[in-house]
Amino acid sequence: AGALEALELAAYDWHIRLRTAVPRKTAPVILITVTEKDIQQLGSWPVPDAVLAEVLETLSRAGARAIGLDIYRDVPVPPGHERLNAVFSKHPRIIAPMLLPQGGRPGVAPPPVLKGTEQVGFTDVVVDPGGTVRRGLLLMDDGRSVFYSFPFRVALLYLQGHGIAVHGDPDHPAYMRLGRMTFRPFEPNDGSYVRADAGGYQFLIDYRDAPNAFASITLGELLAGQFDAALLQNKIALVGVTADSVKDSFYTPYSQAFGDRQAMYGVELYAHMVSQLLRAGIEGEAPVAVISDTSEALWILLWSLLGGAVAFMVRSAWRFALAMIAGVALLALAVHALFVNGWWIPLVPPALGWV
């Protein structure tokens, strides 16, 4: 009925925070951040077109294989508008953002010079009740056109260098395959979701990269040349805002790690999505898998029956209490071990059934 959905999603966040990071190479994603100090030094917001043009040209000269600009530019911000348009047209490795119109909202158009090209991706984010982002988007369809998401465009641009492209799965043509890995679209009742909005082509974000895992260069450092150009060679550069005065942050499963809810900046959130797509395409790493509703029901029934058996056999009060606590601990460890190995299995309903 959905009464336990919030508790189970909290358990999902707990799994992510406790999961031991699997040793791997650092994701080839570098953040170019517009900090509060940068805005103060510029003396204005939004960032002028001339400054953005200089940033994009610098990243291109440094050898970045893909550049994602997470700053809207639907209208000119003089000076330097013509120069910025020239940079967009000259460098096909740049992906610019847009926001799709939804629910009466007009959205945000892409830079006019890039409209209708493959250099545009939408930045819409799926937010769960409670404000936490656990799902990402690959595609959206308005009935007339198919739109690619910003992180998906950036990842595909980088993967071109590895000869990897997106195509249909041989067994399920409606599913998208990236390299050797197929992304099954999210369904409304996947995992512990109940009648969730599954619009578009969604996937569960695995957050396998730790918080603050991505190297960063501030806007001021980039413009002043105070950075190692080798850091950007054949990498993905994501340009975004990390200033507190510009509200571009989201809650994630990491947000409760230290008590107070710590939000993650949008550019870092997209970096997590891009990193996951790269691992899927290059390493064949599968997204988090879920079991069927029937299997979930049998799993809950199993623990309910086990709890009934313990209650029938154990009459001593202290042994009964010990068995009950041990069973919950064993269940939590088993479910977490399965999660570490890529399976999201319900925890809260079988625990309640056991108790």
Side-chain angles (χ1 to χ4, degrees):
L4 302 178
E5 182 183 40
L7 288 174
E8 191 62 53
L9 290 177
Y12 177 85
D13 297 346
W14 172 78
H15 289 311
I16 287 179
R17 292 195 297 270
L18 288 185
R19 179 177 52 196
T20 303
V22 178
R24 60 166 57 88
K25 294 180 180 179
T26 304
V29 180
I30 310 298
L31 305 183
I32 311 301
T33 59
V34 182
T35 65
E36 196 68 53
K37 181 180 178 181
D38 293 326
I39 293 177
Q40 292 172 358
Q41 289 178 342
L42 289 173
S44 66
W45 176 259
V47 177
D49 288 346
V51 175
L52 282 187
E54 179 65 26
V55 167
L56 297 175
E57 287 178 328
T58 300
L59 294 173
S60 183
R61 287 195 301 268
R65 189 188 299 182
I67 303 169
L69 177 64
D70 183 28
I71 298 175
Y72 297 117
R73 203 47 33 123
D74 53 322
V75 295
V77 181
H81 181 60
E82 294 301 325
R83 180 185 175 188
L84 181 60
N85 281 343
V87 171
F88 281 142
S89 301
K90 179 181 177 181
H91 299 287
R93 292 177 292 178
I94 298 173
I95 304 297
M98 65 174 290
L99 194 66
L100 295 173
Q102 291 185 32
R105 297 179 307 172
V108 179
V113 70
L114 296 180
K115 187 175 182 180
T117 71
E118 294 185 355
Q119 289 181 245
V120 174
F122 64 81
T123 56
D124 299 62
V125 173
V126 181
V127 181
D128 286 337
T132 301
V133 178
R134 300 181 181 91
R135 292 172 281 158
L137 278 164
L138 298 178
L139 303 173
M140 289 285 283
D141 184 352
D142 65 357
R144 300 185 303 273
S145 304
V146 176
F147 301 94
Y148 284 61
S149 73
F150 177 76
F152 193 31
R153 282 286 194 199
V154 171
L156 289 178
L157 189 58
Y158 180 86
L159 290 172
Q160 285 179 5
H162 291 266
I164 297 172
V166 64
H167 51 86
D169 182 85
D171 299 323
H172 302 89
Y175 293 179
M176 285 197 307
R177 191 170 181 85
L178 197 59
R180 295 177 287 118
M181 184 50 56
T182 297
F183 279 83
R184 186 185 68 85
F186 174 84
E187 299 292 343
N189 292 316
D190 274 0
S192 293
Y193 283 99
V194 180
R195 296 181 295 277
D197 181 3
Y201 204 113
Q202 300 182 24
F203 66 100
L204 289 170
I205 306 174
D206 61 15
Y207 291 105
R208 286 192 176 272
D209 295 294
N212 304 316
F214 306 103
S216 65
I217 302 170
T218 68
L219 178 71
E221 292 170 343
L222 187 80
L223 294 177
Q226 299 172 349
F227 67 97
D228 182 4
L231 188 65
L232 292 164
Q233 185 69 35
N234 288 321
K235 301 290 180 60
I236 293 173
L238 296 181
V239 184
V241 183
T242 59
D244 292 334
S245 61
V246 181
K247 300 302 181 183
D248 183 24
S249 58
F250 303 89
Y251 293 125
T252 71
Y254 289 129
S255 296
Q256 295 286 4
F258 303 103
D260 295 335
R261 298 193 77 184
Q262 302 291 326
M264 179 181 290
Y265 293 109
V267 66
E268 186 179 358
L269 176 64
Y270 298 133
H272 280 276
M273 298 183 196
V274 170
S275 178
Q276 179 176 350
L277 294 173
L278 297 186
R279 294 195 307 271
I282 298 172
E283 303 172 17
E285 183 178 285
V288 178
V290 299
I291 59 177
S292 66
D293 290 345
T294 300
S295 298
E296 288 184 357
L298 292 174
W299 174 248
I300 296 169
L301 177 62
L302 169 64
W303 282 91
S304 301
L305 293 175
L306 288 174
V310 169
F312 181 77
M313 294 184 295
V314 179
R315 298 302 178 181
S316 168
W318 71 269
R319 289 179 180 173
F320 178 83
L322 183 62
M324 183 174 68
I325 295 172
V328 172
L330 177 63
L331 172 62
L333 288 172
V335 171
H336 183 65
L338 289 168
F339 187 83
V340 169
N341 285 279
W343 288 93
W344 182 17
I345 309 296
L347 171 61
V348 177
L352 292 177
W354 165 266
V355 172

